[in-house]
Amino acid sequence: MSFSVNISFGQNLSMDLGGAQWKFRQQGQNNWLPAQVPGTVHTDLLNAGKIEAPYYRLNEHDQQWIDKLDWEYERKVAISPDLLNKQHLILSFKGLDTYAKVFWNGEQILETDNMFREYEVDVKHIAKAENTLSVVFDSPTRKGMALLADHYALPATNDQSELGGMGDNKVSIFTRKAGYHYGWDWGPRFVTSGIWRKVSLEGWDSTKLEHVYIRQRKRNKQSASLTADINLQSLKAVTAKVFVNGELVKAQQITEANAHVDFTISKPQLWWPNGMGNPHLYAVKVELWNDQLIDSWEEKVGLRTVRWVQDPDKEGKSFYVEVNGKAVFSKGANYIPNDLFLTEVDQERYAHIVKSAKDANMNMLRIWGGGIYENDEFYALCDQMGIMVWQDFMFACSMYPGDEAFLANVKQEAIDNVIRLRNHPSIVMWCGNNEIETAWSEWDENKGWGWKQLYNAEQRKEIYKAYDDIFHHILPEVVDEYTDNDFYWHSSPSAGFEQLASWENTSGDMHYWGVWHAEHPFEDFKNYIPRFMSEYGFQSFPDFNAVKRFTTEEDWDIESEVMASHQRSGIGNLRIKSYMEMYYQLPDNFEDMLYVGQVLQAKATEMAIEAHRNAMPYCMGTLYWQINDCWPVASWSSMDSYGNWKAMHYKVQEMYAPTIFVTEEKEEGLEIALVHDSPEGKKGRWSMEILDFYGKVLWSEKGRTQLKFNQRKSIAVLSPELVKSLGATSSMVLNLKWEAEKESAISRNVYFEFPKALDLPKPKVKTAVREEGGKVMVDISTDVWAKDVFLSLRDNDDDHFSRNYFDLRAGEKLTVEYQGEESVEDVEKQLIVKHLQQTMNNKISQK
């Protein structure tokens, strides 16, 4: 007999019940298969060889039967005498997806209906040395159908019920489960079931530590006054010891279930967002003692103050986040779950995406409300890297029922997750929902989606009461009770409580989808400027190497059945093509179409970010849709599902730099300005050159200036007469450069015509691969201007370069670091260089 017991809490014991000791089967069948916990039915079926890779080609379509069945999981639990003899034996589930019945030695002990909640049940009265634990998952689709049968239909625009063979029955809104599992306009339909987070057996006698909340009371340069709010179950007095970075700072006897222990930190260092300072963290540990250690809790916390500023001004009302008394221009993206099968997302994937955000100069990610409250590892990484988190509650683009049981379920879900996440300094906002306030309002092309007009007066009243109960009462009351005045925003977008977001309301946040959905030109980004832009975007496909991973050669056409299935926005492919015709020459082959599509997406995003940063301080935030993907697909993401940076992510890295050039067409000409959002002021030199594509400088000017925190500073205006005097605008480019003290120079190229109208010569691009300090470096040069130069490795989809999709001027030599696993020799053999001129079908200058 073997036991797996982790003695991590002194007298209190914990036994991890995850791992490969589980088996599963379709309920009622006899053929048990091996299972992994945490896991999902789909991944267990895949690992057992019962289904093909779900994301490959059209395999998704053949796997919709899985969520129509019930599934059973089982394992044996051998309990050691030390654990078995504890007064309490708590079976703890951190996540059950979703409709589960739990049995211990054949006796049902728990029934669940919420993927987002945590569940505990005491099994002391039925536990033995040898036990059987089983969990039966009811079909979430059939459960949803039963709930729908007792209610009229509610809107759920992204629920892809048709793919599930259920007709037009939108059931996702009745189930507290990740909405995107039912499909979205960037994701497939895989309605999962399974034990998706940790399961364990906890044993304790006199005292159990439930949770700890670290509150900051007062702070100055000399000290920070903090309180540890300690919640516990206890049968007698214990001593609480508080440690900071391993040093004991307070010991206090506590006798109540809710205790408060005050302590101080001398000369406190603050937590700052990326680009504003160091995101300093303190390791805080709380131990409970009687004669020996009983239980403990530990987490890294940051000292900071957060305020969302909504002050009246001459334009309306501001909307921005202030951290430690400093106004922050929020630069970032919306974030969705990284996979349909959540247990496939490991620490490495989390680290890659958060680091990619940091490396692209972001300081904020918005956790969108149609996914999940993310794993602890994600928030810990955001804490470490200074990435602020705008945290949606899990409600998006749907209306919801308002019966007593549903509302009670939602309240406990909110409590569980606010308690779990509230110590993370990265979380700066709790937001009730995504786009529901806008969707419910009367139809208006600039304001509301008109959902309320689909229902009669009695139904409207009932539906809105559920909305009001959840988003105006339950959620803000939970945030108020379980946090220390954390900011709650009821819906995104919104102009404020009961103030609908619109371009007429100059307050709150906005989502702008005129570009894309309404086919506005990219130039319209500058005409729709809100106080805080929390959604906007433009689509592209993954690059060719990535596409080859989920297709075969016969699929290599954007209108093929496979590529169409991996494009969930019905208008998507035609929309990309129509915008491409507007700005670029249409390529005549599939690989070039993918490449130009990424360049097109980068251009759209560049113009959007420029418009938002140019409008600082009126506009104080820009979060594009979206940073990541959950499967290989054409979408609005800047990184594909394999983790590769698209052209857009490289462009975002440039446009989110602390200092950038912006341009604006004015009556007197093209204004050129510098925008700076770093707390430290900068002195530096700027230079401007207009040159032709052969390297000849036609005009230049330079100067020095000093930039202040959150400043936009105009440095020049180019008159139309000047530009016209230099020659054809299709044959020249404006190069802008900024060089600050002790910093790398930044530059930006501004063209006077759309890319399709440029008279670009045919370049001869040369490369040389070498090793330098143990790193693989690529030297690249060109004889004439090369636009949007893209480096990749043949048949290697995990390669990454320090720079990519860049312009290279005539005679320039640029060195780029290869950041993958290949050797110098392999990079040299596989290196591929593509540039825009190669896609232009000889419509380029032959001078």
Side-chain angles (χ1 to χ4, degrees):
M1 184 183 299
S2 63
F3 303 99
S4 175
V5 177
N6 299 317
I7 305 175
S8 57
F9 303 135
Q11 287 185 331
N12 292 359
L13 303 179
S14 175
M15 179 181 182
D16 188 348
L17 297 181
Q21 292 79 25
W22 290 81
K23 58 183 179 179
F24 83 113
R25 65 180 178 180
Q26 180 185 335
Q27 192 181 29
Q29 303 297 310
N30 294 321
N31 53 328
W32 288 98
L33 298 167
Q36 182 72 35
V37 170
T40 73
V41 171
H42 290 74
T43 51
D44 287 331
L45 288 169
L46 177 64
N47 292 335
K50 298 300 180 181
I51 61 172
E52 300 295 325
Y55 300 158
Y56 186 69
R57 301 195 77 220
L58 301 174
N59 287 347
E60 174 203 1
H61 300 180
D62 298 327
Q63 296 176 8
Q64 298 304 309
W65 56 273
I66 298 170
D67 62 77
K68 314 302 183 300
L69 304 176
D70 301 335
W71 299 91
E72 182 177 4
Y73 281 72
E74 182 177 291
R75 69 159 286 168
K76 300 299 181 183
V77 181
I79 307 176
S80 70
D82 286 346
L83 182 57
L84 187 61
N85 289 333
K86 290 297 178 183
Q87 294 180 31
H88 303 273
L89 279 177
I90 306 299
L91 181 62
S92 170
F93 290 97
K94 296 301 183 184
L96 287 166
D97 179 13
T98 292
Y99 294 105
K101 296 184 182 74
V102 180
F103 299 85
W104 187 276
N105 294 331
E107 179 179 334
Q108 183 174 332
I109 57 172
L110 179 66
E111 186 169 1
T112 75
D113 60 356
N114 191 322
M115 174 183 181
F116 306 122
R117 285 179 55 183
E118 299 180 356
Y119 296 93
E120 291 186 347
V121 58
D122 198 329
V123 296
K124 174 65 179 179
H125 63 294
I126 53 175
K128 302 179 295 186
E130 298 287 344
N131 305 270
T132 300
L133 171 60
S134 60
V135 184
V136 176
F137 292 97
D138 292 337
S139 159
T141 304
R142 288 193 293 102
K143 277 285 190 178
M145 291 293 289
L147 292 167
L148 174 61
D150 293 331
H151 200 287
Y152 48 83
L154 293 170
T157 53
N158 287 288
D159 186 325
Q160 298 171 12
S161 60
E162 302 79 19
L163 200 59
M166 291 290 186
D168 193 23
N169 295 310
K170 312 292 188 180
V171 301
S172 56
I173 59 269
F174 299 102
T175 298
R176 291 311 298 148
K177 175 174 173 56
Y180 83 112
H181 280 164
Y182 295 83
W184 218 265
D185 59 1
W186 35 257
R189 184 189 183 279
F190 286 111
V191 187
T192 59
S193 293
I195 304 170
W196 75 287
R197 278 183 174 153
K198 182 181 179 180
V199 54
S200 60
L201 191 63
E202 313 288 343
W204 61 283
D205 290 321
S206 63
T207 304
K208 180 178 185 290
L209 182 57
E210 294 287 353
H211 46 78
V212 177
Y213 181 36
I214 305 299
R215 289 188 295 111
Q216 178 182 285
R217 292 180 290 113
K218 290 189 296 183
R219 191 194 73 222
N220 54 40
K221 291 183 179 180
Q222 284 70 45
S223 68
S225 300
L226 308 172
T227 297
D229 292 342
I230 302 172
N231 179 267
L232 67 158
Q233 297 185 50
S234 183
L235 303 178
K236 62 179 182 179
V238 295
T239 297
K241 296 181 179 180
V242 179
F243 299 82
V244 177
N245 293 341
E247 179 183 349
L248 178 65
V249 296
K250 188 68 174 287
Q252 176 180 316
Q253 189 177 69
I254 57 177
T255 59
E256 299 177 352
N258 294 296
H260 310 284
V261 178
D262 297 333
F263 64 100
T264 61
I265 294 177
S266 299
K267 296 181 179 178
Q269 299 183 60
L270 303 186
W271 185 92
W272 288 98
N274 184 34
M276 298 284 289
N278 179 39
H280 188 84
L281 296 172
Y282 289 92
V284 178
K285 187 176 185 179
V286 175
E287 294 181 346
L288 299 183
W289 287 74
N290 46 30
D291 296 330
Q292 60 181 308
L293 177 65
I294 304 169
D295 210 341
S296 69
W297 168 96
E298 184 172 8
E299 196 159 359
K300 290 185 177 179
V301 301
L303 303 181
R304 90 290 188 269
T305 57
V306 169
R307 184 170 77 99
W308 280 84
V309 181
Q310 299 181 76
D311 291 340
D313 56 28
K314 61 182 180 180
E315 288 96 356
K317 190 183 288 186
S318 64
F319 190 84
Y320 64 89
V321 64
E322 182 185 86
V323 179
N324 301 326
K326 290 186 179 292
V328 181
F329 188 98
S330 298
K331 300 179 291 189
N334 288 261
Y335 168 98
I336 65 172
N338 288 290
D339 210 294
L340 269 296
F341 312 118
L342 291 161
T343 54
E344 296 297 291
V345 185
D346 58 16
Q347 180 74 13
E348 184 179 355
R349 285 177 72 178
Y350 277 128
H352 177 66
I353 194 164
V354 179
K355 188 175 185 300
S356 292
K358 180 180 184 294
D359 289 347
N361 298 305
M362 296 186 199
N363 59 27
M364 180 178 283
L365 291 173
R366 175 186 174 223
I367 311 304
W368 165 79
I372 63 168
Y373 307 93
E374 266 296 351
N375 288 347
D376 296 336
E377 297 91 331
F378 172 83
Y379 299 97
L381 286 161
C382 289
D383 294 342
Q384 294 166 23
M385 298 189 193
I387 303 298
M388 296 181 291
V389 173
W390 167 321
Q391 177 67 57
D392 281 7
F393 286 94
M394 291 303 113
F395 301 89
C397 301
S398 304
M399 303 307 293
Y400 296 88
D403 59 273
E404 187 176 334
F406 187 88
L407 297 181
N409 202 2
V410 165
K411 181 175 182 178
Q412 191 57 52
E413 166 192 320
I415 291 171
D416 285 357
N417 286 284
V418 170
I419 286 175
R420 178 172 69 92
L421 301 176
R422 62 188 174 178
N423 280 305
H424 290 285
S426 54
I427 296 180
V428 298
M429 175 193 283
W430 300 91
C431 180
N433 69 73
N434 175 74
E435 296 186 338
I436 303 178
E437 182 178 72
T438 296
W440 180 248
S441 60
E442 299 283 355
W443 162 251
D444 184 300
E445 63 178 350
N446 294 314
K447 294 181 182 179
W449 300 4
W451 279 359
K452 67 191 306 181
Q453 295 164 235
L454 303 173
Y455 297 91
N456 61 42
E458 183 179 349
Q459 291 171 332
R460 287 187 189 187
K461 184 177 179 181
E462 184 177 56
I463 295 170
Y464 187 75
K465 183 180 185 306
Y467 178 90
D468 185 58
D469 285 342
I470 295 170
F471 303 112
H472 297 162
H473 295 282
I474 292 173
L475 297 183
E477 287 167 9
V478 167
V479 172
D480 184 60
E481 181 176 355
Y482 291 94
T483 72
D484 195 14
N485 298 313
D486 280 10
F487 180 73
Y488 175 81
W489 189 241
H490 60 284
S491 183
S492 178
S494 180
F497 184 70
E498 296 187 338
Q499 297 180 61
L500 194 63
S502 76
W503 298 107
E504 297 154 12
N505 276 336
T506 53
S507 59
D509 71 310
M510 281 294 292
H511 298 180
Y512 173 57
W513 287 104
V515 170
W516 186 260
H517 285 296
E519 298 186 83
H520 293 182
F522 295 165
E523 289 74 20
D524 270 9
F525 277 119
K526 67 179 181 293
N527 298 325
Y528 292 86
I529 304 293
R531 307 312 294 258
F532 194 110
M533 184 73 89
S534 48
E535 271 195 34
Y536 62 93
F538 193 85
Q539 270 201 4
S540 75
F541 284 100
D543 68 31
F544 188 45
N545 277 344
V547 168
K548 286 188 285 187
R549 293 180 69 164
F550 65 90
T551 63
T552 62
E553 189 171 353
E554 65 188 277
D555 307 322
W556 294 349
D557 184 313
I558 65 167
E559 299 300 331
S560 71
E561 185 180 8
V562 168
M563 293 301 291
S565 184
H566 288 253
Q567 162 61 280
R568 298 318 261 262
S569 175
I571 61 172
N573 289 345
L574 291 178
R575 191 58 42 92
I576 291 172
K577 189 175 180 180
S578 67
Y579 273 100
M580 195 178 292
E581 289 175 323
M582 191 183 303
Y583 293 98
Y584 290 84
Q585 296 178 13
L586 270 182
D588 58 9
N589 67 75
F590 178 70
E591 183 177 353
D592 285 351
M593 180 69 75
L594 300 181
Y595 160 78
V596 177
Q598 288 210 12
V599 172
L600 174 72
Q601 182 192 35
K603 179 178 178 62
T605 309
E606 176 185 27
M607 295 177 72
I609 295 172
E610 177 181 38
H612 304 153
R613 294 193 68 183
N614 186 50
M616 182 182 72
Y618 177 84
C619 176
M620 285 294 287
T622 175
L623 307 178
Y624 66 83
W625 186 272
Q626 70 226 53
I627 188 174
N628 59 327
D629 275 329
C630 60
W631 77 313
V633 66
S635 84
W636 297 266
S637 70
S638 63
M639 296 168 60
D640 67 30
S641 62
Y642 306 114
N644 301 307
W645 288 22
K646 294 182 179 179
M648 173 180 168
H649 205 87
Y650 287 99
K651 184 59 67 176
V652 165
Q653 184 180 48
E654 295 176 17
M655 297 304 293
Y656 279 168
T659 308
I660 64 165
F661 283 99
V662 295
T663 63
E664 184 176 351
E665 289 284 355
K666 294 193 170 182
E667 187 174 338
E668 59 270 30
L670 182 69
E671 183 190 26
I672 300 164
L674 284 161
V675 173
H676 180 73
D677 63 14
S678 175
E680 299 90 16
K682 293 293 180 184
K683 293 180 180 178
R685 302 184 302 274
W686 56 264
S687 62
M688 296 181 285
E689 292 182 335
I690 297 178
L691 58 157
D692 68 18
F693 295 137
Y694 296 89
K696 181 181 179 182
V697 176
L698 307 174
W699 171 89
S700 67
E701 191 171 312
K702 59 185 177 181
R704 289 179 172 271
T705 194
Q706 183 168 352
L707 301 176
K708 298 177 182 179
F709 176 44
N710 282 344
Q711 182 185 24
R712 178 194 186 277
K713 191 168 190 177
S714 180
I715 57 173
V717 176
L718 301 186
S719 69
E721 292 76 20
L722 169 66
V723 175
K724 186 176 180 181
S725 70
L726 300 177
T729 53
S730 61
S731 300
M732 58 189 187
V733 60
L734 170 65
N735 175 253
L736 306 169
K737 184 176 290 186
W738 165 257
E739 295 176 278
E741 298 171 355
K742 299 179 183 179
E743 288 188 359
S744 300
I746 66 163
S747 67
R748 187 172 179 216
N749 295 315
V750 178
Y751 295 87
F752 299 98
E753 302 286 351
F754 289 168
K756 69 177 181 181
L758 294 176
D759 186 19
L760 291 165
K762 186 175 182 179
K764 295 178 181 178
V765 178
K766 296 180 179 180
T767 60
V769 183
R770 58 185 173 83
E771 185 175 340
E772 181 180 301
K775 298 178 180 179
V776 179
M777 313 300 286
V778 179
D779 296 325
I780 184 166
S781 61
T782 178
D783 59 337
V784 296
W785 194 273
K787 188 166 182 358
D788 299 309
V789 176
F790 170 49
L791 306 179
S792 66
L793 301 187
R794 183 181 295 105
D795 301 323
N796 186 329
D797 44 51
D798 292 322
D799 53 276
H800 181 72
F801 294 86
S802 59
R803 289 187 63 182
N804 222 334
Y805 297 95
F806 50 83
D807 294 345
L808 201 61
R809 65 191 290 172
E812 181 181 11
K813 178 182 176 183
L814 183 69
T815 298
V816 175
E817 180 187 346
Y818 168 70
Q819 298 174 328
E821 300 297 323
E822 303 293 334
S823 66
V824 169
E825 293 74 21
D826 288 338
V827 171
E828 195 168 32
K829 290 176 184 176
Q830 297 186 56
L831 185 64
I832 297 173
V833 180
K834 184 179 285 291
H835 49 76
L836 188 66
Q837 286 97 312
Q838 291 171 331
T839 73
M840 298 178 73
N841 304 315
N842 295 321
K843 301 169 188 173
I844 57 177
S845 173
Q846 299 296 321
K847 296 177 185 176

